[in-house]
Each structure stands twice: as C-alpha cells, then as structure tokens.
Amino acid sequence: MFLRGKYLPSVILMDVLHLQCSSCSKNHVAYEQPDKYFVNCGSKDDAKLNGRVFTADSSSVSLCSDSEKSRAIESTNQSRNLYQTARIFYNQSHYEFTIAENGTYIVRLHFLTFSSSVNLSSALFDVLAFPNVSNSGFKLLSNFTAKNSSNSPLIKEFFLGIDPGTFKIYFVPQASSFAFVNAIEVFLAPASFSPENYNSSLPLVLHTTYRVNVGGQKTTPDNDTIWRNWDPDHIFLSTSNSAEDFRPSSSPTLIRQYSVESHGFVGADSDFIAPDLVYLTAKVMTGNIKGLPNPFNITWSFNVSADARHLVRVHFCDIVGQPADIIFNLYSNGNLIMKVGGPDFPFHRPNQPFYYDFVLSSKESEFIKISTGPNTNATTNNSFLNGLEILEIIEGSALCNPPASVCNMKGRKKINVGLVVGSVIGGLSLICILIVGILFGLKYRKAKRVETSEWSPMPAFGGGSTRSRLTDGTITGSPMNYLNLGLKISFAELQQATNNFDTKLLIREGGFGNVYRGTLLNGRNVAVKRGKRDEKGSGQGLPEFQTEIMVLSKIRHRHLVSLIGYCDERSEMILVYEFMEKGSLRDHLYDSNLPRLSWKQRLEICIGAARGLHYLHKGAAGGIIHRDVKSTNILLDENHVAKVADFGLSRSGPLDETHVSTNVKGTFGYLDPEYIMSQQLTEKSDVYSFGVVLLEVLRARPAIDRMLPRDQMNLAEWGMLCKKKGLLEQIVDSSINYQIDPSSLRKFSETAEKCLQEDANDRPTMGDVLWDLEYAFQLQQTAKHREPHEDSTANASSAFVLPNVPCFPSVSSTINTDDLALPRDDELDTTEVEVFSQLRVGDAR
C-alpha cells in the first residue's frame, strides 16, 4: 500500500538464488525491483499465478530446517498448481531471503488446507519475521490456524521495512501441532507507497485487514499491478438502502497527476496506489429514504482487533458530478475527519483520483465505522467513496527475539560443499589468529575510562594506514563492533564525490568540520561532513563522530536527517548524510537572499521538527536526548520538509527514569537554564531549546543578538517578557504579520511560553508540543482570509472558530452528529511515530 522502511543482519553459509518474475504483463514493466521472491513451498516444480512464476523452494530458496522435521506434501488429487503443495514443519524452521536494497517490502503468506495425507486444518502455529539490524523481530501471526470454510486460499499480507542483509520468516508450531505454508511472496513495494524515510528503531510492520472496492465488483490480482485483492463493499454497509453503486456510462480516462499533496490529500499518481477499476466505481447517496434523516450518511462498518491502532486510507475520484458542487464530510464513528470537495478543493477536476490517510485507535471496541455525508455548505446533498483500505499497525507488544537455531548443515538447502570445506579450514586459521591476538592484547591492554579515554596517535592527516579507527575502541573502551559496517564508504570515493573536497562545493563550516556537497558513484547527491584535522592525535572530535554513527545507524525517521555512510580510514572522520537542498531553517529566517518563509511553511517546519524530536524522545529504543536543538540543526529538503540534524552531542538512556548527569554542552542562547545550573540532562532540555527555536521562527532573529539593547539581546528572555506584558505583536516578523490568524498566533506563542518555563517539570513533553503546533496549524487553516492591509491583531475573538482538528478519537466513541465537534481530551489518539509521509495531520497527543 504505501511506505518506505528499513532493517537487517546477515547469516551463515548459503547460496540464495534471486527469483525473478519472468512473465510480467505490460503494467508491471515500469516496476521491476532487484529483490523479488515468489516461492512455491513444498514443490519440486515451478507454478504460475497471475503472471508470476513461483519457484520451487526445494531448488531456489534457503530453507533452514531439520530435514527430519520438515517435509513437502502434495494434494491427493495430484494437481500441481500453487495451492496443491505445501511444506509442513514439526519444529521451528525458517526461510531466508537475501535483501540487497532497503525499503518497504510486501510480504504475503499463502495458506490453503487442501486434501492430503496430513490434516492441514489442524495446524496451529506462529509466524515470526526478522527484518532489522537489531536482531529483534515481530510476531506476524499468533496461534494461527488456516481453517477456511470457503475452501479458498487465505492470504496474509504484511508491509515490513527491511534493511539490506538476510530477512528471515520463522514458522513455529504450537505444542504438539505443526506449521505449514503453500507459498511466500517477498518483493519491494513501489516507492510511491512509502512514507519517505519512515524511521524508527523498529521496522514498520502493517497487516492488511480490509481492502475494498467501493461500489464495484471484486477486483482480483489479475487486474492489479501488484496483485492485490479488492473486495466488494456491500457486505460492510450498515444500511443497505442508503447508497447505490455508481459507474459512468462511458469509462473516462483518469487524470493521474504527480503525487501532489494538499491538506493531507494526495494525488494518486499511478495505479500502484489503486487500480483504475477502483476509481471508476463509487457508492453514492440515494434519494430521500423513509426512516432515514435527511440528509443522511453512508456508513460502512468493519470488525477489527480491539485495543489496536489502524491505518485507514480512503480513495476518492469524482466520477459523479461537478466537484465544486459536491461537498461532503468524512467521518469515523460519527467524528468528523475532514471536509472533501468544494470550489477551493485542490483536486477540483473530474476523474482525478486522490486519497487521504489517517490513524485510528480501537479502544475496547471491535468496530471501525467510516461514513460520508453532505456538508452543510453543499448545494447538492450527495457524497461518495471509491475505495477503502484498513491496515492494523503491529506494535511493540508483538516484538520477539529469534528462536534458538534448530538448523544443522544437512537441513540447509543449497550448500556449496567446497565453500564449507574452505570455511572450516579458514575457521581453524582464524581461531589460531584470535588466540595469538588475545594473548598479545592481554599483555598490552590498558584500562580506559568513560569520556576520558586516551587514544593512540593516529597517522598523519591524509596518509598512513587505512585501518578503521572505530573498531579499535570507543569512548567506553569497548570495540564498536556493533556499528553498521555496511555504511562504510571509502575515502577514495569521497574524494571523487567532492572533487577532492573542492572549496567551491563547501556548504558551510561547523564546529566539527566543513560540510561539502558531493555526488556518490551511484549518482546520489549527499552532504559530506569532514572532521577537522587532528594532527596531534588527541581524538577530540572522535566521541562526537562515534555518537553520530551510533545514533543515526539505528534510527530512521522522516524528520531526522539520514546517515548515508561514514569513513574512518587513516585519521579521517567523515560523515555522509542525505543532501538537504534548501539548507538550514536559520538560512531561510535570516538570509536576505532567500525568499521569506510564509507562516504556513513555518508552522509545517516546526511541526516536522517536533515530530523528529518526539520520535527521538519516545520512539527510539531507550530514548535519545538531542542536546543541541537550534535553527541551524533543522534542515530543509527540496520540499521544505524539516529534518533534525547533528547528533554528535546526543545522549541515550531511559529518559523517564533518571536524569543524566553530564558536562554541560550545547549552544549558548538555546541552553536550558536548569541544565546549566544542575548539570542534570533530561528530555525537557530539548523542549526548552525548541521553545527558543519557536520564538526564532516567529521573530526571524538569532537567539542571541549582541547588537540589540541588553533587555532584547537574549531572544528567550525578551520573548517571555513581551508575552507577559501582552505585547506579543512586537515579536512577530513584519514580513508575515498580515498572514497570521490571531488564534493561531495565540496558540503558537502559548506553546513557546510553555517550552521556556524555568522549571523543567512545568514544560510539556515533545508529544504535547507537537499536538499544540498541529492545533495552531489547524486554527490557521480554518481562519478567515485577510488581506495584507488588514490588522492581524484586530477582531481576535470574532476570528476564532473551532477548527477541523484531525486528532482522531477512539472508535469506541458514540458521537453521532453531522456538525463539527472536537473530540474530548480522553478520546484523542496517540501516535508515537508518523506512518505515512502523506499523514500531515495530528497523530500525537
């Protein structure tokens, strides 16, 4: 459906053949990915299904299982199609897939209990997946049985973020039972599905629950470019006579444009989002119906897992009438989600498909109700829906560790005997070398202390050994053998990428070193940060270098700058990041040569940065304190999407348990006064620094300006003083003063004020800050437009209107109204990380 994820390590001796789709239709030509596995389990022969060739697992895939506890079975009717063979497991076993490209992968498991010598319907088992470098996995299916009264295959579909390396799928029988599988698919999802740089210390894992072609017939994999099933919607309608199917008399050509986004709505730019058959049918409202209110809503009801979060994607395409005439509301369990349509709606053309994503929690309820109904401002009482998808978010509660290995060499397929013999001999040699190394190390080993470790002198800058300095030790005295060595980039390639660090490519100079623009051999534009020369071998910048790699190699998020690689050859300390086209937030606030950011852009940038910091504090494993939040460390990509950067001063640890005692580090003007006094670092120190950034965004001036009078020199102190005196308008950047709605300004300034409280206990969490900023954004979005000559501070009370705030309540809510109503505080959904790049609305408290 949508995504971009990451994650994984590699395993022992194996020779995995990549399976390719040998007979794809013309619709699939534009989508050919290197990692594509279609496996016919338990068969010696290949099988075809919907244009895919499923290759026999006995010859092409690495299967790790005790040969006496795994066997292939066939149907008693001797048919050799995909669903008439299976592999059964009497103890835990797994398949291994070599993954070359990180991203979000679609994983499908096929089950059919055909008639055979084994009663497959009695199988009871778990399915685990291990897609990431942390060696932790997720339980995809628990106590699963494949019983199906319809005698049709059960297909379980998942979306997983996977890193390059080896991806494993475990089948674990329960008690005295067994496990089985008929077929497996693993392939990279199209990029248009992916939340850009979806990032988490955990991989993204979604389980498809419903995929519905609203108003149309069942759509089979033959008619879908990535082989999805779309079910008809009539069985989900709460009131069958409230709507009718609609199909144009002549099939129009859909206007699929570039994936533009506006107010959370996104253009469906390709049939990877949904096939034309979905967008060319719809459910529309019928006329006045006896017993139903007028106007009424069309409602679909879906049974879901209780106490779970779900991603919901709704598909729209106006094949019904003039978009300017049809204005309607989208609801979930009676709560307004969003208004759709109208003369100012971004997707105003007929036959133009688009979609909208949001997150819902099911608290103690097992139902999600999705409704559409006319907006009170509509001239036509009508609403429609073309398609709908619901995916359950598999949370941290499903985390699991890999089972103890039961594999022996005879149980692993495709073993190269020569490789095994060579490896044994090589292994003996390696053991001898290790023993000598250990004895030598014991003789010369010296104790090292945290943050005061001494490093042996390095070779002269630019010359000497190419040995890695990161594998020698760390600031804790332990080898950094847990770093992602797959991120290493040679010094020679970086020299070539930057034209030998040409000053013409210099982006900026920083405390750690200079940053250059570069182009890697694969054509990717990157930012190359080269540490300052360390002629004396003191290793002063080494802790920051190591910290940056450790932090960024284990976290990824749309609003955190991604680490592409690093180089530690010779005495070099080089970090390579994704290139941020628009530079830093500070550049756009102060640089007179750059266009001024609008108020809306500034709000979106603050929201993006807050999401990144919120993820660091709560989403990353163990919690991370950035410790140097400032406008120069908030970078903007080509679309002005904000990403937090520079993690050299970061500290890890359980943030909600103890304060971290540490030497004060950071940037003057942004430093938390309580941290300065006590040297006790908490996540609230980041919150204070972010409060300074908020004032910086509002005023467009530095945190410290020594050219100003003493009482205005420190932005935080001056801003708080103006706020208390009710002189807030003095703070606002004059270039955007006319753009800001008073209600939005009030909420924004209150948020900054809360962040800048002297007592850390009085400051909000980053999750609360995020919620408040999103609320300020919605206040701005729903504000009455004012011309530049109008006073932004006048008529503040009359301009205030309740916004359409998409922080969605629990589906257990029983509100049933067509009027705009904000959910209660206790109903607000809490989302730890952003799941879709398109999900712009409030998904965190």
Side-chain angles (χ1 to χ4, degrees), residues 445-463:
R445 178 180 169 189
K446 293 183 180 180
K448 300 177 182 179
R449 296 177 57 196
V450 174
E451 295 195 18
T452 59
S453 60
E454 296 180 359
W455 292 82
S456 57
M458 294 294 170
F461 192 83

Side-chain angles (χ1 to χ4, degrees), residues 417-462:
V417 175
L419 182 60
V420 173
V421 173
S423 300
V424 171
I425 296 173
L428 292 174
S429 302
L430 179 61
I431 291 172
C432 294
I433 294 171
L434 288 173
I435 292 173
V436 173
I438 291 170
L439 293 175
F440 183 83
L442 288 173
K443 182 176 180 179
Y444 291 99
R445 178 180 169 189
K446 293 183 180 180
K448 300 177 182 179
R449 296 177 57 196
V450 174
E451 295 195 18
T452 59
S453 60
E454 296 180 359
W455 292 82
S456 57
M458 294 294 170
F461 192 83

Side-chain angles (χ1 to χ4, degrees), residues 523-594:
R524 181 170 189 173
N525 290 329
V526 292
V528 181
K529 182 159 70 172
R530 188 185 194 188
K532 292 180 179 178
R533 296 193 177 193
D534 191 13
E535 304 282 4
K536 299 179 181 180
S538 63
Q540 285 185 340
L542 193 56
E544 288 186 32
F545 180 58
Q546 294 171 333
T547 300
E548 190 101 0
I549 296 171
M550 284 189 290
V551 170
L552 286 180
S553 63
K554 66 181 180 180
I555 61 173
R556 289 185 178 86
H557 190 272
R558 172 175 168 76
H559 294 291
L560 301 178
V561 170
S562 297
L563 180 70
I564 305 302
Y566 67 90
C567 174
D568 63 333
E569 295 177 12
R570 311 173 184 180
S571 58
E572 296 284 354
M573 295 182 294
I574 303 176
L575 297 165
V576 183
Y577 307 93
E578 61 176 314
F579 182 70
M580 301 298 286
E581 186 74 35
K582 299 295 185 182
S584 73
L585 172 59
R586 183 187 180 102
D587 295 338
H588 289 266
L589 293 174
Y590 311 152
D591 193 334
S592 59
N593 295 322
L594 294 175

Side-chain angles (χ1 to χ4, degrees), residues 287 396 833:
V833 294

Side-chain angles (χ1 to χ4, degrees), residues 803-824:
N804 175 4
V805 182
C807 279
F808 305 121
S810 159
V811 299
S812 61
S813 169
T814 58
I815 299 175
N816 290 297
T817 175
D818 291 342
D819 297 328
L820 176 59
L822 292 178
R824 301 190 307 269

